């Protein structure tokens, strides 16, 4: 049986700053555990509360998280779907990194 090839990805997600600290942490934990279950979590970088470049849904601040991980090619679509249906997530991006 062939070994699954894992691609390197990074994702940034912004959590609504009007949520309390407990809910912000819960959202971060939800997505990091989802990534761990479906791939290899490499690093989680918490950038903290920052001003948004432009207003999103009348919000001017958000909590930024950068996550590096490895997963198979199907997982990023599921991750994006989960982002879209989760209340409190303002913006996201998932990028496949080139192998060096």
């Amino acid at each position: 049986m062939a070994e699954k090839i894992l691609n390197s990805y990074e994702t940034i997600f912004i959590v609504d700053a009007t949520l309390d600290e407990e809910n912000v942490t819960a959202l971060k934990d939800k997505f990091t555990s989802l990534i761990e279950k479906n791939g290899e979590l490499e690093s989680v970088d918490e950038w903290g509360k920052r001003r948004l470049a432009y207003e999103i849904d009348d919000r001017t601040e958000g909590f930024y998280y950068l996550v590096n991980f490895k997963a198979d090619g199907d997982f990023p679509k599921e991750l994006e779907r989960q982002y879209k249906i989760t209340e409190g997530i303002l913006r996201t991006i998932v990028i496949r990194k080139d192998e060096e």
Side-chain angles (χ1 to χ4, degrees):
M1 188 164 131
E3 186 179 319
K4 269 195 168 180
I5 297 173
L6 300 179
N7 299 316
S8 292
Y9 296 93
E10 72 178 19
T11 182
I12 298 174
F13 59 97
I14 306 171
V15 178
D16 188 347
T18 62
L19 297 175
D20 60 30
E21 190 175 328
E22 192 176 294
N23 287 330
V24 171
T25 303
L27 284 173
K28 177 197 73 139
D29 292 344
K30 172 185 175 174
F31 288 107
T32 54
S33 65
L34 178 67
I35 291 168
E36 279 181 316
K37 287 178 193 165
N38 293 282
E40 297 174 14
L41 186 65
E42 294 180 332
S43 67
V44 179
D45 192 5
E46 296 184 28
W47 293 353
K49 190 178 197 179
R50 297 191 172 206
R51 186 164 184 77
L52 301 173
Y54 53 89
E55 277 190 19
I56 302 170
D57 297 331
D58 297 326
R59 307 287 193 263
T60 58
E61 292 183 322
F63 288 96
Y64 283 67
Y65 295 95
L66 169 67
V67 180
N68 289 291
F69 65 97
K70 288 187 176 185
D72 66 26
D74 297 331
F75 177 64
K77 284 186 176 129
E78 175 60 19
L79 181 60
E80 289 172 344
R81 188 185 76 78
Q82 290 292 328
Y83 282 145
K84 287 178 185 169
I85 63 173
T86 302
E87 195 81 22
I89 299 293
L90 297 178
R91 280 288 184 273
T92 66
I93 188 167
V94 179
I95 300 169
R96 180 175 172 194
K97 299 192 304 186
D98 290 333
E99 297 297 323
E100 296 177 12

